[in-house]
């Protein structure tokens, strides 16, 4: 499945960079939340997983020009795009990495960052926990992801028609916060709703596919006739554009110094 996800995003690099507007907005807000931490991180490189086309990377490069930065993604094409985009940046390296397989013998990163990628992990809390373990005492894990209250409009239309909701399962905020709160850490999180408009439901589904986010992880897909029924019904609920709501979660976990 991870290879399928990587291939989907890899084939959509250009469209993702131009049209992933929610991801770009969330990345800007994630970087803005980092600024108070700018000068208090412990020594050590910064690790970013799920860099995509560099929305978060851009902010990290600006805030930490002198610190070593390791920028990674599951997709080789995304890594190559970032390498080209930031070729003039200093103290930066790029590599393909499956964050779920991350192994470190001891904490070595001053900060780990995961912007809008945790929803693709089989177990988001477990993988974010690995990133936390790779972060040095006094360091910070910073993450954002779409939470499981996303897409209420889509879910309501499926309920109206008696159709299964075929969107992927998204991280449960409460579960992640509880699991991340074990051990000597301080957990802060913030939830918000980001809305996007599309000319029609068909445009929304095409958007997901075009930016590489249309990979179906489990369960059955709708048949063509069911999909047409869903699109017609969703469109009929609106006189003009349809609105899609993303439940966005921002997570900051500071690893305490152990006395």
């Amino acid at each position: 499945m991870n290879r399928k996800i990587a291939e989907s995003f890899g084939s959509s690099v250009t469209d993702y960079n131009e049209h992933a507007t929610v991801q770009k907005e969330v990345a800007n807000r994630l970087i803005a939340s980092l600024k108070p931490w700018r000068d208090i991180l412990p020594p050590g490189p910064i690790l970013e997983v799920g860099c995509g086309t560099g929305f978060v990377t851009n902010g990290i490069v600006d805030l930490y020009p002198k610190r070593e930065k390791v920028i990674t993604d599951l997709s080789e094409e995304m890594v190559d795009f970032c390498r080209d985009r930031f070729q003039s940046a200093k103290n930066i390296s790029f590599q393909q990495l499956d964050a779920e397989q991350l192994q470190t013998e001891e904490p070595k990163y001053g900060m780990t960052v995961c912007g809008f990628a945790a929803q693709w992990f089989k177990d988001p809390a477990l993988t974010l926990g690995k990133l936390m373990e790779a972060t040095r005492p006094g360091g910070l894990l910073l993450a954002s992801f779409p939470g499981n209250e996303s897409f209420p409009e889509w879910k309501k239309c499926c309920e109206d028609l008696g159709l299964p909701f075929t969107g992927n399962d998204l991280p449960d905020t409460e579960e992640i916060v509880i699991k991340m709160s074990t051990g000597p850490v301080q957990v802060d999180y913030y939830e918000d709703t980001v809305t996007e408009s599309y000319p029609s439901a068909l445009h929304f589904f095409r958007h997901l596919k075009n930016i590489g986010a249309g990979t179906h992880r489990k369960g059955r897909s709708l048949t063509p006739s069911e999909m047409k029924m869903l699109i017609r019904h969703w469109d009929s609920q609106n006189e003009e554009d349809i609105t899609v709501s993303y439940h966005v979660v921002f997570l900051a976990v500071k690893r305490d110094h152990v006395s």
Side-chain angles (χ1 to χ4, degrees):
M1 176 57 72
N2 281 0
R3 185 175 68 178
K4 187 176 180 181
I5 293 169
E7 290 174 349
S8 181
F9 279 106
S11 64
S12 307
V13 171
T14 302
D15 280 331
Y16 185 95
N17 192 58
E18 293 180 2
H19 302 296
T21 53
V22 171
Q23 289 82 349
K24 186 177 295 186
E25 176 184 342
V26 172
N28 290 338
R29 293 175 63 178
L30 190 68
I31 289 298
S33 73
L34 173 59
K35 291 179 180 178
W37 301 86
R38 178 177 179 177
D39 300 320
I40 61 174
L41 296 179
I46 294 171
L47 172 67
E48 181 188 3
V49 301
C51 65
T53 58
F55 296 154
V56 173
T57 313
N58 189 56
I60 294 172
V61 167
D62 286 344
L63 286 176
Y64 298 98
K66 296 181 179 180
R67 190 182 288 251
E68 180 186 351
K69 297 163 286 288
V70 183
I71 309 301
T72 74
D73 197 277
L74 182 64
S75 163
E76 184 176 359
E77 290 82 1
M78 290 290 195
V79 173
D80 289 342
F81 186 97
C82 271
R83 183 182 289 111
D84 290 341
R85 178 177 177 183
F86 299 102
Q87 57 183 314
S88 62
K90 297 180 179 180
N91 305 310
I92 191 168
S93 61
F94 303 88
Q95 67 181 72
Q96 185 179 11
L97 174 72
D98 182 347
E100 293 177 321
Q101 305 302 318
L102 179 67
Q103 293 182 348
T104 54
E105 294 183 1
E106 60 182 31
K108 68 176 184 178
Y109 298 104
M111 179 171 67
T112 51
V113 185
C114 178
F116 231 66
Q119 69 272 23
W120 296 106
F121 301 151
K122 294 184 184 71
D123 187 332
L126 178 64
T127 304
L128 289 174
K130 287 184 177 182
L131 293 179
M132 188 74 262
E133 291 172 2
T135 307
R136 299 184 67 178
L140 183 70
L141 163 65
L142 197 66
S144 62
F145 52 85
N148 60 353
E149 296 175 26
S150 296
F151 310 132
E153 303 87 357
W154 179 3
K155 293 173 181 176
K156 177 63 166 57
C157 287
C158 289
E159 183 181 334
D160 291 345
L161 297 171
L163 295 174
F165 172 69
T166 55
N168 291 324
D169 292 339
L170 294 174
D172 184 298
T173 309
E174 183 178 2
E175 176 188 358
I176 286 181
V177 169
I178 290 173
K179 289 184 176 180
M180 295 301 295
S181 297
T182 59
V185 298
Q186 299 174 30
V187 179
D188 291 311
Y189 69 100
Y190 172 72
E191 300 173 85
D192 199 5
T193 299
V194 175
T195 58
E196 283 284 292
S197 296
Y198 302 89
S200 69
L202 179 60
H203 282 81
F204 165 63
F205 290 121
R206 282 179 174 171
H207 168 77
L208 290 181
K209 182 177 181 181
N210 288 342
I211 66 171
T215 302
H216 193 60
R217 296 202 62 152
K218 66 178 184 179
R220 78 170 182 89
S221 300
L222 296 183
T223 66
S225 60
E226 288 173 330
M227 180 60 77
K228 289 179 181 178
M229 187 188 311
L230 173 60
I231 289 170
R232 281 199 303 268
H233 180 67
W234 196 343
D235 289 346
S236 72
Q237 306 302 301
N238 305 269
E239 294 183 2
E240 297 181 355
D241 293 352
I242 69 160
T243 297
V244 179
S245 301
Y246 293 76
H247 168 218
V248 179
V249 183
F250 299 89
L251 179 73
V253 185
K254 184 178 182 296
R255 187 166 189 178
D256 292 341
H257 290 280
V258 179
S259 56

